[in-house]
Amino acid sequence: NAGVMQNPRHLVRRRGQEARLRCSPMKGHSHVYWYRQLPEEGLKFMVYLQKENIIDESGMPKERFSAEFPKEGPSILRIQQVVRGDSAAYFCASSPPAAREKLFFGSGTQLSVL
Amino acid sequence: GESVGLHLPTLSVQEGDNSIINCAYSNSASDYFIWYKQESGKGPQFIIDIRSNMDKRQGQRVTVLLNKTVKHLSLQIAATQPGDSAVYFCAENSGQGGSEKLVFGKGTKLTVNP
């Protein structure tokens, strides 16, 4: 049973470009979470999604950031017009329906903005 | 701001000793707590969880203690091994508003000396 899969593992973008981060949850998991981590810090909640539905986006910046979890395919975290401050590790997690607060994390995408 | 924090940012122990990592939380409504282990360059790995109706839970070489009176959580690792070296995060879930998001502390870096 494969774990949470994230790609790409590393992503380099220049200021002003768009970044797309992908996440495939564990098999049988219907809930996806995105977190951001800066060096030497904890994980900051960004957004919580179910299929075709955003449950909680209280941690998402108001501009340039969006997330989706379509009926088919992976969850996407999209960052438009990236700035250097967006450089961070972005982690996706998923949880099973019977234990939605028990999160299993992927290996993350390290975003570097030049 | 963060409602979960840690008493010590770093902890150094000798191989074979027991380790105790502490965590304080401020949200008395939190009813679920998790400990994660994060190795360098990897995503957080689930260690053990506990619900607020319990004060102790044991796993393999690990024990989590919950003191709701003083809002304190601890992780005990028995016979610490070099492979236990990592950053350890506690996280809480209050389940407010139907969101299952976890709030993370900043982490404690555990170093095991051979």
Side-chain angles (χ1 to χ4, degrees):
Chain A
N1 185 16
V4 177
M5 304 299 292
Q6 289 190 250
N7 69 83
R9 191 77 174 84
H10 300 276
L11 182 61
V12 179
R13 285 288 178 266
R14 296 190 180 278
R15 282 179 295 171
Q17 291 184 319
E18 179 179 288
R20 281 183 178 244
L21 289 62
R22 296 174 185 78
C23 169
S24 295
M26 288 179 69
K27 186 176 181 180
H29 288 192
S30 54
H31 299 78
V32 166
Y33 306 76
W34 285 94
Y35 282 79
R36 176 164 61 179
Q37 185 178 36
L38 295 172
E40 304 296 316
E41 293 194 8
L43 286 81
K44 305 287 188 183
F45 169 79
M46 299 182 74
V47 63
Y48 163 36
L49 310 103
Q50 283 180 294
K51 288 280 188 181
E52 299 183 284
N53 195 19
I54 296 175
I55 306 300
D56 183 347
E57 56 182 346
S58 59
M60 288 282 270
K62 293 290 186 283
E63 298 177 345
R64 302 188 297 108
F65 285 72
S66 62
E68 63 175 7
F69 189 16
K71 186 177 181 180
E72 301 292 336
S75 175
I76 305 289
L77 179 67
R78 181 184 178 201
I79 311 172
Q80 295 177 289
Q81 299 174 333
V82 296
V83 300
R84 288 206 173 123
D86 296 331
S87 296
Y90 291 83
F91 290 97
C92 172
S94 69
S95 62
R100 287 180 294 171
E101 67 272 83
K102 189 172 181 177
L103 274 56
F104 294 88
F105 283 84
S107 297
T109 293
Q110 181 63 52
L111 173 65
S112 298
V113 179
L114 304 179
Chain B
E2 288 288 339
S3 67
V4 180
L6 294 164
H7 295 304
L8 296 172
T10 61
L11 177 64
S12 184
V13 300
Q14 291 298 123
E15 181 178 359
D17 287 352
N18 296 333
S19 301
I20 300 176
I21 300 171
N22 296 304
C23 178
Y25 65 95
S26 59
N27 188 349
S28 57
S30 293
D31 58 3
Y32 179 71
F33 304 87
I34 301 185
W35 281 99
Y36 285 92
K37 171 187 179 182
Q38 187 176 27
E39 296 173 282
S40 181
K42 297 185 178 180
Q45 176 187 355
F46 173 88
I47 301 174
I48 192 167
D49 58 358
I50 189 168
R51 294 203 174 274
S52 58
N53 60 353
M54 302 173 68
D55 53 20
K56 181 180 179 179
R57 192 166 187 218
Q58 289 184 292
Q60 187 177 14
R61 282 201 309 119
V62 295
T63 300
V64 55
L65 298 177
L66 175 62
N67 186 330
K68 293 182 287 294
T69 302
V70 295
K71 289 185 280 191
H72 183 268
L73 192 70
S74 67
L75 177 70
Q76 299 178 0
I77 305 173
T80 315
Q81 303 168 1
D84 294 327
S85 294
V87 177
Y88 289 80
F89 294 97
C90 66
E92 63 175 322
N93 174 270
S94 64
Q96 293 177 339
S99 176
E100 310 301 341
K101 69 185 181 190
L102 292 176
V103 176
F104 282 78
K106 287 190 170 64
T108 292
K109 184 176 182 179
L110 174 65
T111 300
V112 182
N113 301 309

